[in-house]
Amino acid sequence: MQSYIRFADRLSAWFGKTFGWLIILMTAGMSFEVFARYFFNAPTPWALDLSFIMYGTLFMMGGAYTLSRGGHVRGDFIYRTWAPRRQAMVDLALYVLFFFPGILALIFSGWKYASRSWSYAEVSINSPAGIPIYQFKTVIVAAGILLLIQGVAQVFRCILCIRDNRWLEVEQDVEETEQVLLKQAAQSQQS
């Protein structure tokens, strides 16, 4: 189970970090649009659609990575006071009852949606440039598959926690700014 968890975490991290670079492309594209619009009075017909597509792709392909790092929003005002074994039992039940049915629905309906879009090479109706969007709709299926793979890893984490009454450590590769500031404040008080 632990080797699968490591595999899923690495896979999710690779996709999350790779697609994270879209923020740079999106920023460059929108900066070009602002420059062209306000300095040359020549707005582009494609920039807004492209930014929507890149942001949507970034958001969807980062979902499994966020799940692997425990970064999704949760209402844990009661949950965090529970023992790890109880947390794991609740998480396991929620994965089985809600997460997996939702992800499977996303994959299957996304597949129909994307295949229909590919069949007629769909383009954006909101753009005068007619930007192709069928590739973007395929991201729905890819993101669902990644979430499914990571969801199985999360279930394995729950099973291990139920057995050992402690959570398997999650790899941390990003630190929240608030945490960094708190550490710096604590260090400066100690000095």
Side-chain angles (χ1 to χ4, degrees), residues 34-100:
V34 168
F35 187 76
R37 178 179 299 260
Y38 292 107
F39 288 101
F40 298 119
N41 198 25
T44 61
W46 48 264
L48 186 62
D49 281 329
L50 207 56
S51 71
F52 286 160
I53 289 170
M54 283 193 278
Y55 182 71
T57 301
L58 170 67
F59 181 78
M60 288 190 290
M61 294 304 285
Y65 172 69
T66 306
L67 181 62
S68 75
R69 299 306 192 255
H72 285 289
V73 174
R74 61 183 341 161
D76 66 348
F77 61 96
I78 296 173
Y79 175 91
R80 68 178 167 216
T81 64
W82 294 342
R85 181 173 285 128
R86 187 172 184 188
Q87 290 175 343
M89 287 189 285
V90 169
D91 281 358
L92 183 60
L94 292 174
Y95 277 113
V96 171
L97 292 173
F98 299 107
F99 180 83
F100 287 114

Side-chain angles (χ1 to χ4, degrees), residues 15 39 86 119 122 129 133 135 148 156 161 163 171 175:
F15 275 99
F39 288 101
R86 187 172 184 188
S119 71
E122 184 177 7
I133 58 174
Q135 305 93 330
L148 182 66
F156 287 168
C161 183
R163 185 187 72 190
E171 183 180 328
E175 195 167 8

Side-chain angles (χ1 to χ4, degrees), residues 5 9 150 153-161 167-168 170:
I5 292 170
D9 285 352
Q150 188 61 49
Q154 297 304 106
V155 165
F156 287 168
R157 272 192 174 92
C158 291
I159 292 169
L160 291 173
C161 183
W167 285 106
L168 188 63
V170 175

Side-chain angles (χ1 to χ4, degrees), residues 2-57:
Q2 288 184 357
S3 61
Y4 181 85
I5 292 170
R6 282 192 301 275
F7 158 74
D9 285 352
R10 286 186 189 128
L11 182 69
S12 296
W14 186 87
F15 275 99
K17 290 175 183 179
T18 300
F19 280 89
W21 287 99
L22 285 176
I23 203 76
I24 303 284
L25 293 173
M26 193 169 67
T27 302
M30 290 312 294
S31 297
F32 176 79
E33 167 63 17
V34 168
F35 187 76
R37 178 179 299 260
Y38 292 107
F39 288 101
F40 298 119
N41 198 25
T44 61
W46 48 264
L48 186 62
D49 281 329
L50 207 56
S51 71
F52 286 160
I53 289 170
M54 283 193 278
Y55 182 71
T57 301

